[in-house]
Amino acid sequence: EKKTALPDLPEKLYARIEVPLDPEQARAYQQMKQYAVAEFPGSIDRALAPIALTKMLRLSQITSGHLTVSDGFGTNTIKRFVNNPKIDVIVDLLEEHTHMVVFCMFIDEIKQLDERLTKEGISHGLIYGETPNKTRETIQEDYQNGRLRVVVCQVVTGGIGITLTQGHAAVFLTNPYSYEGRVQAEDRLHRPGQKHNVIYYDIVATCQGEKTIDHTVLQVLKKKEKLSDAILGRQIGDML
């Protein structure tokens, strides 16, 4: 799939890679989906939208390889699934691309990817909320000069104000819930200084052969919308 480029900039290209959830993930996903559908049998209004979005966020967490679990007394812990098929795809793609930017929504998937890239001996840097500004500048410089092969960014922080034109491949391990966030992230690579067509991979989970929240979010982004607006007046079951 192609998209018209800005004047004097190369094209944007898009590819979707579908990945089946691991059986442990699939069980957790189906259970969470059933809870969400049962909790919101009717249309979602503005009062219910924040709660519904939280349920959808939990589904996105599962497809990304972890889940935030509450003990009911204000303490949250991260449950990480044993296998994360999405991260396997990243490693495979690095056999095709010398440099790559990976965008994520969640801190834990950034940490999972950090561990895997370290294990594989792949040079990389991490940019997320806790990354000091000086470190971000160093990571950007090292990537731009070819000293790092991969930059892993949290969309809400790494999608703004940095230039990553050394490579021309980016992966969205999980997508932001707004079109604006997606475009800002894409433009870290597709900006003045980029000399090659840029390809954007969307890693999209399937659950027992069916679509997941990943497909829902992509559909919303294609309509240039926010998920928080798209769910209004809809039944959550129709969107999952």
Side-chain angles (χ1 to χ4, degrees):
E1 183 180 341
K2 296 184 179 182
K3 192 172 186 178
T4 303
L6 294 173
D8 302 322
L9 282 179
E11 286 186 290
K12 288 182 176 184
L13 309 175
Y14 297 88
R16 179 187 300 186
I17 300 175
E18 296 201 341
V19 183
L21 291 176
D22 180 80
E24 182 189 15
Q25 284 177 288
R27 287 192 295 271
Y29 187 92
Q30 290 285 37
Q31 186 178 50
M32 183 66 70
K33 178 181 173 180
Q34 288 169 6
Y35 286 157
V37 171
E39 188 170 344
F40 299 96
S43 297
I44 299 168
D45 58 21
R46 290 197 179 276
L48 292 174
I51 307 169
L53 278 173
T54 299
K55 295 294 183 184
M56 298 176 95
L57 195 70
R58 295 289 178 264
L59 291 170
S60 290
Q61 285 183 338
I62 293 171
T63 68
S64 75
H66 73 284
L67 180 62
T68 301
V69 180
S70 173
D71 65 358
F73 299 98
T75 301
N76 293 330
T77 56
I78 299 293
K79 169 184 168 56
R80 186 179 289 185
F81 298 103
V82 175
N83 298 312
N84 189 343
K86 284 189 174 184
I87 289 182
D88 293 336
V89 174
I90 300 294
V91 175
D92 291 342
L93 285 172
L94 281 166
E95 295 182 4
E96 303 176 29
H97 301 282
T98 57
H99 296 85
M100 182 182 291
V101 179
V102 183
F103 291 105
C104 308
M105 272 225 306
F106 305 108
I107 298 293
D108 193 71
E109 63 182 332
I110 291 173
K111 292 180 177 179
Q112 288 186 56
L113 192 49
D114 178 32
E115 293 169 12
R116 180 64 182 276
L117 293 175
T118 299
K119 180 181 177 181
E120 299 286 341
I122 297 169
S123 59
H124 64 284
L126 311 177
I127 298 177
Y128 59 107
E130 299 174 9
T131 309
N133 287 335
K134 184 64 177 175
T135 303
R136 294 183 195 200
E137 293 171 6
T138 301
I139 290 170
Q140 176 182 269
E141 181 181 339
D142 287 346
Y143 182 76
Q144 289 293 88
N145 290 330
R147 291 189 290 269
L148 294 177
R149 286 192 64 193
V150 181
V151 176
V152 184
C153 298
Q154 188 178 21
V155 174
V156 293
T157 53
I160 302 173
I162 58 175
T163 297
L164 299 169
T165 54
Q166 167 66 23
H168 43 92
V171 180
F172 286 86
L173 207 57
T174 46
N175 263 295
Y177 281 4
S178 75
Y179 177 72
E180 180 184 8
R182 169 72 186 227
V183 171
Q184 287 176 342
E186 288 187 8
D187 287 350
R188 298 313 94 211
L189 290 81
H190 193 257
R191 59 195 298 111
Q194 181 57 260
K195 303 188 186 315
H196 302 277
N197 292 342
V198 181
I199 184 164
Y200 299 95
Y201 296 97
D202 288 291
I203 311 300
V204 179
T206 60
C207 182
Q208 299 173 348
E210 297 182 353
K211 294 180 179 180
T212 65
I213 184 67
D214 293 351
H215 296 81
T216 303
V217 173
L218 260 186
Q219 187 176 29
V220 168
L221 296 179
K222 283 191 172 185
K223 294 179 180 178
K224 301 184 179 182
E225 296 178 345
K226 292 181 182 178
L227 187 60
S228 57
D229 293 333
I231 64 173
L232 295 175
R234 303 276 303 276
Q235 290 186 331
I236 199 167
D238 294 338
M239 300 194 70
L240 299 175

